[in-house]
Amino acid sequence: QVQLVESGGGLVQPGGSLRLACTTSGFTFRNNWMHWVRQAPGKGLEWVSSIYTGDGGTKSADSVKGRFTISRDNTKNMLYLQMNSLKFEDTALYYCAKAPLAAMNPPNPDFGYWGQGTQVTVSS
């Protein structure tokens, strides 16, 4: 069955960096839309970034453009999110998801497959 397992979260100071990873299995990784979605404490789901694993095309929310980079490794079936210049407001539980792109507007966990999330906390 489809499995998505996030890792790489942690505690980081403002201005710092983290790299999240999503280990996937149970489906053909290539030629799928893969996404990162986050949920801050007390708030709803927020779409962060998406990548089409076929041609590598990406889309990102304005709130993270220039700071976060989504990427994938088709040989390892892995999804990544490089997060730089982290801000307090980036504190959230970050989910990896496999779903149609349309299911990200807004993010709907009833569609596709989602991991359990990895916590990112930005604090001084």
mmCIF file of all heavy atoms in Angstrom, residues 6-12 18 20 36-48 63-64 67-68 81 83 86-96 116-123:
data_model
loop_
_atom_site.group_PDB
_atom_site.id
_atom_site.type_symbol
_atom_site.label_atom_id
_atom_site.label_comp_id
_atom_site.label_asym_id
_atom_site.label_seq_id
_atom_site.Cartn_x
_atom_site.Cartn_y
_atom_site.Cartn_z
ATOM 1 N N GLU A 6 7.465 11.178 6.642
ATOM 2 C CA GLU A 6 8.259 12.400 6.690
ATOM 3 C C GLU A 6 9.342 12.303 7.768
ATOM 4 O O GLU A 6 9.162 11.616 8.782
ATOM 5 C CB GLU A 6 7.368 13.617 6.997
ATOM 6 C CG GLU A 6 6.238 13.856 6.028
ATOM 7 C CD GLU A 6 4.938 13.172 6.438
ATOM 8 O OE1 GLU A 6 4.996 12.213 7.257
ATOM 9 O OE2 GLU A 6 3.864 13.580 5.955
ATOM 10 N N SER A 7 10.418 13.031 7.531
ATOM 11 C CA SER A 7 11.491 13.111 8.519
ATOM 12 C C SER A 7 12.230 14.430 8.326
ATOM 13 O O SER A 7 12.021 15.123 7.329
ATOM 14 C CB SER A 7 12.464 11.940 8.373
ATOM 15 O OG SER A 7 13.038 11.926 7.082
ATOM 16 N N GLY A 8 13.069 14.766 9.298
ATOM 17 C CA GLY A 8 13.912 15.948 9.163
ATOM 18 C C GLY A 8 13.460 17.162 9.937
ATOM 19 O O GLY A 8 14.157 18.183 9.955
ATOM 20 N N GLY A 9 12.298 17.080 10.563
ATOM 21 C CA GLY A 9 11.838 18.222 11.344
ATOM 22 C C GLY A 9 12.669 18.405 12.608
ATOM 23 O O GLY A 9 13.515 17.580 12.948
ATOM 24 N N GLY A 10 12.415 19.512 13.294
ATOM 25 C CA GLY A 10 13.139 19.770 14.527
ATOM 26 C C GLY A 10 12.997 21.205 14.977
ATOM 27 O O GLY A 10 12.153 21.952 14.461
ATOM 28 N N LEU A 11 13.833 21.578 15.929
ATOM 29 C CA LEU A 11 13.849 22.923 16.480
ATOM 30 C C LEU A 11 14.983 23.707 15.833
ATOM 31 O O LEU A 11 16.129 23.224 15.799
ATOM 32 C CB LEU A 11 14.044 22.859 17.991
ATOM 33 C CG LEU A 11 14.187 24.188 18.732
ATOM 34 C CD1 LEU A 11 12.918 25.015 18.622
ATOM 35 C CD2 LEU A 11 14.542 23.927 20.196
ATOM 36 N N VAL A 12 14.681 24.886 15.336
ATOM 37 C CA VAL A 12 15.696 25.698 14.654
ATOM 38 C C VAL A 12 15.460 27.161 15.000
ATOM 39 O O VAL A 12 14.326 27.576 15.258
ATOM 40 C CB VAL A 12 15.637 25.462 13.125
ATOM 41 C CG1 VAL A 12 14.298 25.892 12.560
ATOM 42 C CG2 VAL A 12 16.795 26.130 12.413
ATOM 43 N N LEU A 18 16.456 23.901 7.508
ATOM 44 C CA LEU A 18 16.146 22.483 7.717
ATOM 45 C C LEU A 18 15.854 21.870 6.362
ATOM 46 O O LEU A 18 15.376 22.554 5.448
ATOM 47 C CB LEU A 18 14.923 22.300 8.620
ATOM 48 C CG LEU A 18 15.084 22.433 10.133
ATOM 49 C CD1 LEU A 18 13.725 22.307 10.796
ATOM 50 C CD2 LEU A 18 16.045 21.387 10.683
ATOM 51 N N LEU A 20 13.582 18.776 4.976
ATOM 52 C CA LEU A 20 12.627 17.709 5.222
ATOM 53 C C LEU A 20 12.739 16.665 4.117
ATOM 54 O O LEU A 20 13.034 16.993 2.969
ATOM 55 C CB LEU A 20 11.203 18.256 5.254
ATOM 56 C CG LEU A 20 10.921 19.385 6.246
ATOM 57 C CD1 LEU A 20 9.429 19.725 6.218
ATOM 58 C CD2 LEU A 20 11.380 19.034 7.627
ATOM 59 N N TRP A 36 4.009 19.333 -0.374
ATOM 60 C CA TRP A 36 4.212 19.621 1.036
ATOM 61 C C TRP A 36 3.102 20.562 1.487
ATOM 62 O O TRP A 36 2.826 21.573 0.830
ATOM 63 C CB TRP A 36 5.567 20.261 1.281
ATOM 64 C CG TRP A 36 6.708 19.320 1.108
ATOM 65 C CD1 TRP A 36 7.536 19.203 0.022
ATOM 66 C CD2 TRP A 36 7.167 18.344 2.065
ATOM 67 N NE1 TRP A 36 8.459 18.222 0.233
ATOM 68 C CE2 TRP A 36 8.265 17.675 1.492
ATOM 69 C CE3 TRP A 36 6.773 17.970 3.351
ATOM 70 C CZ2 TRP A 36 8.960 16.660 2.144
ATOM 71 C CZ3 TRP A 36 7.458 16.968 4.000
ATOM 72 C CH2 TRP A 36 8.540 16.324 3.396
ATOM 73 N N VAL A 37 2.493 20.196 2.606
ATOM 74 C CA VAL A 37 1.405 20.966 3.203
ATOM 75 C C VAL A 37 1.742 21.133 4.682
ATOM 76 O O VAL A 37 2.321 20.227 5.280
ATOM 77 C CB VAL A 37 0.056 20.225 3.040
ATOM 78 C CG1 VAL A 37 -1.074 21.007 3.714
ATOM 79 C CG2 VAL A 37 -0.255 19.998 1.565
ATOM 80 N N ARG A 38 1.385 22.247 5.269
ATOM 81 C CA ARG A 38 1.678 22.451 6.686
ATOM 82 C C ARG A 38 0.446 22.907 7.459
ATOM 83 O O ARG A 38 -0.506 23.422 6.872
ATOM 84 C CB ARG A 38 2.817 23.455 6.860
ATOM 85 C CG ARG A 38 2.479 24.877 6.449
ATOM 86 C CD ARG A 38 3.732 25.745 6.516
ATOM 87 N NE ARG A 38 3.470 27.145 6.144
ATOM 88 C CZ ARG A 38 4.401 28.067 6.024
ATOM 89 N NH1 ARG A 38 5.695 27.763 6.245
ATOM 90 N NH2 ARG A 38 4.072 29.302 5.688
ATOM 91 N N GLN A 39 0.510 22.688 8.756
ATOM 92 C CA GLN A 39 -0.565 23.123 9.630
ATOM 93 C C GLN A 39 0.052 23.727 10.885
ATOM 94 O O GLN A 39 0.671 23.008 11.679
ATOM 95 C CB GLN A 39 -1.499 21.974 9.996
ATOM 96 C CG GLN A 39 -2.710 22.422 10.787
ATOM 97 C CD GLN A 39 -3.779 21.368 10.868
ATOM 98 O OE1 GLN A 39 -3.507 20.171 10.792
ATOM 99 N NE2 GLN A 39 -5.030 21.791 11.016
ATOM 100 N N ALA A 40 -0.102 25.025 11.021
ATOM 101 C CA ALA A 40 0.395 25.728 12.197
ATOM 102 C C ALA A 40 -0.556 25.496 13.362
ATOM 103 O O ALA A 40 -1.734 25.173 13.165
ATOM 104 C CB ALA A 40 0.521 27.214 11.890
ATOM 105 N N PRO A 41 -0.064 25.673 14.581
ATOM 106 C CA PRO A 41 -0.916 25.462 15.759
ATOM 107 C C PRO A 41 -2.177 26.314 15.695
ATOM 108 O O PRO A 41 -2.118 27.526 15.488
ATOM 109 C CB PRO A 41 -0.018 25.892 16.910
ATOM 110 C CG PRO A 41 1.374 25.697 16.409
ATOM 111 C CD PRO A 41 1.318 26.006 14.950
ATOM 112 N N GLY A 42 -3.333 25.664 15.827
ATOM 113 C CA GLY A 42 -4.597 26.372 15.856
ATOM 114 C C GLY A 42 -5.088 26.880 14.520
ATOM 115 O O GLY A 42 -6.083 27.604 14.447
ATOM 116 N N LYS A 43 -4.412 26.491 13.434
ATOM 117 C CA LYS A 43 -4.806 26.969 12.109
ATOM 118 C C LYS A 43 -5.122 25.803 11.184
ATOM 119 O O LYS A 43 -4.875 24.642 11.508
ATOM 120 C CB LYS A 43 -3.696 27.833 11.521
ATOM 121 C CG LYS A 43 -3.423 29.111 12.311
ATOM 122 C CD LYS A 43 -2.484 30.022 11.561
ATOM 123 C CE LYS A 43 -2.304 31.349 12.311
ATOM 124 N NZ LYS A 43 -1.391 32.282 11.588
ATOM 125 N N GLY A 44 -5.627 26.128 10.010
ATOM 126 C CA GLY A 44 -5.970 25.113 9.039
ATOM 127 C C GLY A 44 -4.783 24.684 8.201
ATOM 128 O O GLY A 44 -3.665 25.179 8.366
ATOM 129 N N LEU A 45 -5.025 23.774 7.285
ATOM 130 C CA LEU A 45 -3.983 23.300 6.393
ATOM 131 C C LEU A 45 -3.598 24.393 5.399
ATOM 132 O O LEU A 45 -4.457 25.089 4.862
ATOM 133 C CB LEU A 45 -4.468 22.067 5.633
ATOM 134 C CG LEU A 45 -4.705 20.814 6.469
ATOM 135 C CD1 LEU A 45 -5.428 19.764 5.653
ATOM 136 C CD2 LEU A 45 -3.398 20.261 7.005
ATOM 137 N N GLU A 46 -2.307 24.517 5.172
ATOM 138 C CA GLU A 46 -1.788 25.496 4.225
ATOM 139 C C GLU A 46 -0.900 24.782 3.209
ATOM 140 O O GLU A 46 0.084 24.136 3.579
ATOM 141 C CB GLU A 46 -0.969 26.579 4.930
ATOM 142 C CG GLU A 46 -0.358 27.610 3.974
ATOM 143 C CD GLU A 46 0.633 28.555 4.648
ATOM 144 O OE1 GLU A 46 1.029 28.289 5.800
ATOM 145 O OE2 GLU A 46 1.018 29.555 4.004
ATOM 146 N N TRP A 47 -1.221 24.915 1.938
ATOM 147 C CA TRP A 47 -0.388 24.359 0.883
ATOM 148 C C TRP A 47 0.932 25.121 0.851
ATOM 149 O O TRP A 47 0.959 26.356 0.928
ATOM 150 C CB TRP A 47 -1.095 24.465 -0.462
ATOM 151 C CG TRP A 47 -0.209 24.164 -1.621
ATOM 152 C CD1 TRP A 47 0.284 22.943 -1.999
ATOM 153 C CD2 TRP A 47 0.319 25.112 -2.569
ATOM 154 N NE1 TRP A 47 1.073 23.073 -3.119
ATOM 155 C CE2 TRP A 47 1.100 24.389 -3.492
ATOM 156 C CE3 TRP A 47 0.200 26.485 -2.725
ATOM 157 C CZ2 TRP A 47 1.771 25.009 -4.550
ATOM 158 C CZ3 TRP A 47 0.843 27.096 -3.780
ATOM 159 C CH2 TRP A 47 1.624 26.362 -4.682
ATOM 160 N N VAL A 48 2.050 24.364 0.712
ATOM 161 C CA VAL A 48 3.376 24.974 0.703
ATOM 162 C C VAL A 48 4.001 24.907 -0.678
ATOM 163 O O VAL A 48 4.385 25.930 -1.249
ATOM 164 C CB VAL A 48 4.289 24.267 1.728
ATOM 165 C CG1 VAL A 48 5.719 24.805 1.629
ATOM 166 C CG2 VAL A 48 3.752 24.439 3.144
ATOM 167 N N SER A 63 4.217 32.687 0.280
ATOM 168 C CA SER A 63 4.802 32.836 1.617
ATOM 169 C C SER A 63 6.164 32.150 1.747
ATOM 170 O O SER A 63 6.918 32.456 2.681
ATOM 171 C CB SER A 63 3.845 32.285 2.671
ATOM 172 O OG SER A 63 3.556 30.918 2.421
ATOM 173 N N VAL A 64 6.474 31.240 0.847
ATOM 174 C CA VAL A 64 7.747 30.505 0.956
ATOM 175 C C VAL A 64 8.646 30.681 -0.262
ATOM 176 O O VAL A 64 9.786 30.197 -0.261
ATOM 177 C CB VAL A 64 7.518 29.002 1.207
ATOM 178 C CG1 VAL A 64 6.630 28.783 2.428
ATOM 179 C CG2 VAL A 64 6.939 28.318 -0.024
ATOM 180 N N ARG A 67 12.594 31.074 -0.378
ATOM 181 C CA ARG A 67 13.146 30.500 0.864
ATOM 182 C C ARG A 67 13.104 28.975 0.872
ATOM 183 O O ARG A 67 14.024 28.339 1.381
ATOM 184 C CB ARG A 67 12.372 31.034 2.068
ATOM 185 C CG ARG A 67 12.409 32.533 2.226
ATOM 186 C CD ARG A 67 11.808 32.976 3.556
ATOM 187 N NE ARG A 67 10.409 32.575 3.708
ATOM 188 C CZ ARG A 67 9.962 31.787 4.692
ATOM 189 N NH1 ARG A 67 10.800 31.326 5.604
ATOM 190 N NH2 ARG A 67 8.673 31.490 4.762
ATOM 191 N N PHE A 68 12.034 28.399 0.356
ATOM 192 C CA PHE A 68 11.858 26.943 0.345
ATOM 193 C C PHE A 68 12.029 26.415 -1.072
ATOM 194 O O PHE A 68 11.579 27.054 -2.032
ATOM 195 C CB PHE A 68 10.473 26.561 0.838
ATOM 196 C CG PHE A 68 10.197 26.821 2.298
ATOM 197 C CD1 PHE A 68 11.070 27.541 3.092
ATOM 198 C CD2 PHE A 68 9.034 26.312 2.879
ATOM 199 C CE1 PHE A 68 10.808 27.763 4.430
ATOM 200 C CE2 PHE A 68 8.748 26.528 4.207
ATOM 201 C CZ PHE A 68 9.635 27.267 4.987
ATOM 202 N N LEU A 81 12.120 18.908 0.976
ATOM 203 C CA LEU A 81 11.812 20.322 1.085
ATOM 204 C C LEU A 81 12.971 20.992 1.816
ATOM 205 O O LEU A 81 13.165 20.766 3.014
ATOM 206 C CB LEU A 81 10.505 20.562 1.837
ATOM 207 C CG LEU A 81 10.047 22.029 1.880
ATOM 208 C CD1 LEU A 81 9.639 22.491 0.478
ATOM 209 C CD2 LEU A 81 8.893 22.210 2.860
ATOM 210 N N MET A 83 14.385 24.125 3.423
ATOM 211 C CA MET A 83 13.809 25.326 4.011
ATOM 212 C C MET A 83 14.932 26.213 4.550
ATOM 213 O O MET A 83 15.667 25.800 5.457
ATOM 214 C CB MET A 83 12.844 24.962 5.132
ATOM 215 C CG MET A 83 11.755 23.994 4.689
ATOM 216 S SD MET A 83 10.505 23.732 5.960
ATOM 217 C CE MET A 83 11.496 22.959 7.231
ATOM 218 N N LEU A 86 14.363 30.494 7.815
ATOM 219 C CA LEU A 86 13.125 30.152 8.512
ATOM 220 C C LEU A 86 12.670 31.274 9.429
ATOM 221 O O LEU A 86 13.485 31.978 10.050
ATOM 222 C CB LEU A 86 13.307 28.850 9.295
ATOM 223 C CG LEU A 86 13.258 27.594 8.412
ATOM 224 C CD1 LEU A 86 13.916 26.416 9.099
ATOM 225 C CD2 LEU A 86 11.821 27.275 8.035
ATOM 226 N N LYS A 87 11.352 31.415 9.509
ATOM 227 C CA LYS A 87 10.719 32.451 10.315
ATOM 228 C C LYS A 87 9.846 31.806 11.390
ATOM 229 O O LYS A 87 9.458 30.639 11.283
ATOM 230 C CB LYS A 87 9.843 33.336 9.430
ATOM 231 C CG LYS A 87 10.552 33.970 8.251
ATOM 232 C CD LYS A 87 9.579 34.745 7.396
ATOM 233 C CE LYS A 87 10.266 35.402 6.196
ATOM 234 N NZ LYS A 87 9.312 36.151 5.355
ATOM 235 N N PHE A 88 9.518 32.581 12.404
ATOM 236 C CA PHE A 88 8.637 32.069 13.464
ATOM 237 C C PHE A 88 7.354 31.496 12.859
ATOM 238 O O PHE A 88 6.867 30.449 13.292
ATOM 239 C CB PHE A 88 8.281 33.181 14.450
ATOM 240 C CG PHE A 88 9.420 33.674 15.282
ATOM 241 C CD1 PHE A 88 9.821 34.994 15.208
ATOM 242 C CD2 PHE A 88 10.085 32.838 16.155
ATOM 243 C CE1 PHE A 88 10.870 35.475 15.971
ATOM 244 C CE2 PHE A 88 11.143 33.297 16.928
ATOM 245 C CZ PHE A 88 11.532 34.626 16.835
ATOM 246 N N GLU A 89 6.825 32.171 11.860
ATOM 247 C CA GLU A 89 5.548 31.757 11.273
ATOM 248 C C GLU A 89 5.631 30.497 10.432
ATOM 249 O O GLU A 89 4.618 30.012 9.932
ATOM 250 C CB GLU A 89 4.947 32.901 10.458
ATOM 251 C CG GLU A 89 5.867 33.485 9.409
ATOM 252 C CD GLU A 89 6.578 34.743 9.906
ATOM 253 O OE1 GLU A 89 7.012 34.766 11.077
ATOM 254 O OE2 GLU A 89 6.696 35.689 9.108
ATOM 255 N N ASP A 90 6.837 29.948 10.255
ATOM 256 C CA ASP A 90 6.980 28.665 9.566
ATOM 257 C C ASP A 90 6.776 27.490 10.512
ATOM 258 O O ASP A 90 6.753 26.337 10.067
ATOM 259 C CB ASP A 90 8.365 28.560 8.920
ATOM 260 C CG ASP A 90 8.577 29.563 7.811
ATOM 261 O OD1 ASP A 90 7.637 29.791 7.020
ATOM 262 O OD2 ASP A 90 9.690 30.133 7.735
ATOM 263 N N THR A 91 6.623 27.778 11.805
ATOM 264 C CA THR A 91 6.376 26.719 12.774
ATOM 265 C C THR A 91 5.071 26.006 12.435
ATOM 266 O O THR A 91 4.017 26.637 12.324
ATOM 267 C CB THR A 91 6.294 27.299 14.192
ATOM 268 O OG1 THR A 91 7.583 27.816 14.556
ATOM 269 C CG2 THR A 91 5.866 26.240 15.196
ATOM 270 N N ALA A 92 5.169 24.691 12.243
ATOM 271 C CA ALA A 92 3.987 23.926 11.828
ATOM 272 C C ALA A 92 4.327 22.445 11.779
ATOM 273 O O ALA A 92 5.498 22.060 11.823
ATOM 274 C CB ALA A 92 3.511 24.379 10.449
ATOM 275 N N LEU A 93 3.299 21.654 11.627
ATOM 276 C CA LEU A 93 3.453 20.241 11.298
ATOM 277 C C LEU A 93 3.437 20.152 9.782
ATOM 278 O O LEU A 93 2.491 20.630 9.144
ATOM 279 C CB LEU A 93 2.315 19.439 11.914
ATOM 280 C CG LEU A 93 2.388 17.913 11.806
ATOM 281 C CD1 LEU A 93 3.623 17.379 12.516
ATOM 282 C CD2 LEU A 93 1.137 17.286 12.407
ATOM 283 N N TYR A 94 4.476 19.582 9.213
ATOM 284 C CA TYR A 94 4.634 19.520 7.762
ATOM 285 C C TYR A 94 4.303 18.129 7.258
ATOM 286 O O TYR A 94 4.885 17.137 7.728
ATOM 287 C CB TYR A 94 6.054 19.899 7.360
ATOM 288 C CG TYR A 94 6.315 21.384 7.425
ATOM 289 C CD1 TYR A 94 6.435 22.029 8.649
ATOM 290 C CD2 TYR A 94 6.417 22.149 6.259
ATOM 291 C CE1 TYR A 94 6.642 23.395 8.710
ATOM 292 C CE2 TYR A 94 6.642 23.512 6.309
ATOM 293 C CZ TYR A 94 6.751 24.138 7.543
ATOM 294 O OH TYR A 94 6.964 25.494 7.598
ATOM 295 N N TYR A 95 3.382 18.082 6.304
ATOM 296 C CA TYR A 95 2.932 16.825 5.722
ATOM 297 C C TYR A 95 3.436 16.673 4.299
ATOM 298 O O TYR A 95 3.458 17.643 3.530
ATOM 299 C CB TYR A 95 1.408 16.768 5.675
ATOM 300 C CG TYR A 95 0.711 16.785 7.003
ATOM 301 C CD1 TYR A 95 0.196 17.968 7.527
ATOM 302 C CD2 TYR A 95 0.533 15.609 7.732
ATOM 303 C CE1 TYR A 95 -0.449 17.982 8.739
ATOM 304 C CE2 TYR A 95 -0.133 15.612 8.943
ATOM 305 C CZ TYR A 95 -0.625 16.805 9.447
ATOM 306 O OH TYR A 95 -1.284 16.815 10.643
ATOM 307 N N CYS A 96 3.746 15.461 3.935
ATOM 308 C CA CYS A 96 4.010 15.076 2.560
ATOM 309 C C CYS A 96 2.721 14.443 2.027
ATOM 310 O O CYS A 96 2.063 13.679 2.741
ATOM 311 C CB CYS A 96 5.165 14.078 2.565
ATOM 312 S SG CYS A 96 5.415 13.122 1.067
ATOM 313 N N GLN A 116 2.190 11.188 8.136
ATOM 314 C CA GLN A 116 1.793 11.560 9.503
ATOM 315 C C GLN A 116 2.337 12.914 9.913
ATOM 316 O O GLN A 116 1.911 13.482 10.923
ATOM 317 C CB GLN A 116 2.267 10.496 10.484
ATOM 318 C CG GLN A 116 1.551 9.159 10.315
ATOM 319 C CD GLN A 116 0.057 9.289 10.499
ATOM 320 O OE1 GLN A 116 -0.427 9.782 11.514
ATOM 321 N NE2 GLN A 116 -0.716 8.893 9.474
ATOM 322 N N GLY A 117 3.282 13.426 9.159
ATOM 323 C CA GLY A 117 3.808 14.758 9.433
ATOM 324 C C GLY A 117 5.091 14.754 10.242
ATOM 325 O O GLY A 117 5.390 13.799 10.973
ATOM 326 N N THR A 118 5.848 15.836 10.109
ATOM 327 C CA THR A 118 7.047 16.061 10.906
ATOM 328 C C THR A 118 6.992 17.498 11.418
ATOM 329 O O THR A 118 6.663 18.423 10.674
ATOM 330 C CB THR A 118 8.325 15.787 10.084
ATOM 331 O OG1 THR A 118 9.469 15.896 10.931
ATOM 332 C CG2 THR A 118 8.485 16.745 8.911
ATOM 333 N N GLN A 119 7.311 17.673 12.695
ATOM 334 C CA GLN A 119 7.157 18.978 13.332
ATOM 335 C C GLN A 119 8.372 19.859 13.079
ATOM 336 O O GLN A 119 9.511 19.434 13.282
ATOM 337 C CB GLN A 119 6.951 18.813 14.839
ATOM 338 C CG GLN A 119 6.823 20.110 15.599
ATOM 339 C CD GLN A 119 5.540 20.860 15.263
ATOM 340 O OE1 GLN A 119 4.477 20.266 15.092
ATOM 341 N NE2 GLN A 119 5.637 22.179 15.157
ATOM 342 N N VAL A 120 8.099 21.080 12.667
ATOM 343 C CA VAL A 120 9.137 22.105 12.530
ATOM 344 C C VAL A 120 8.794 23.229 13.492
ATOM 345 O O VAL A 120 7.690 23.784 13.447
ATOM 346 C CB VAL A 120 9.204 22.642 11.093
ATOM 347 C CG1 VAL A 120 10.142 23.849 11.012
ATOM 348 C CG2 VAL A 120 9.659 21.547 10.138
ATOM 349 N N THR A 121 9.737 23.536 14.359
ATOM 350 C CA THR A 121 9.535 24.610 15.332
ATOM 351 C C THR A 121 10.649 25.635 15.171
ATOM 352 O O THR A 121 11.829 25.285 15.295
ATOM 353 C CB THR A 121 9.514 24.085 16.766
ATOM 354 O OG1 THR A 121 8.470 23.106 16.899
ATOM 355 C CG2 THR A 121 9.276 25.207 17.761
ATOM 356 N N VAL A 122 10.257 26.869 14.896
ATOM 357 C CA VAL A 122 11.228 27.957 14.753
ATOM 358 C C VAL A 122 11.111 28.820 15.997
ATOM 359 O O VAL A 122 10.073 29.437 16.247
ATOM 360 C CB VAL A 122 10.970 28.780 13.488
ATOM 361 C CG1 VAL A 122 12.054 29.850 13.331
ATOM 362 C CG2 VAL A 122 10.927 27.873 12.266
ATOM 363 N N SER A 123 12.178 28.832 16.774
ATOM 364 C CA SER A 123 12.147 29.545 18.045
ATOM 365 C C SER A 123 13.543 29.988 18.439
ATOM 366 O O SER A 123 14.533 29.305 18.142
ATOM 367 C CB SER A 123 11.565 28.631 19.134
ATOM 368 O OG SER A 123 11.622 29.260 20.404
#
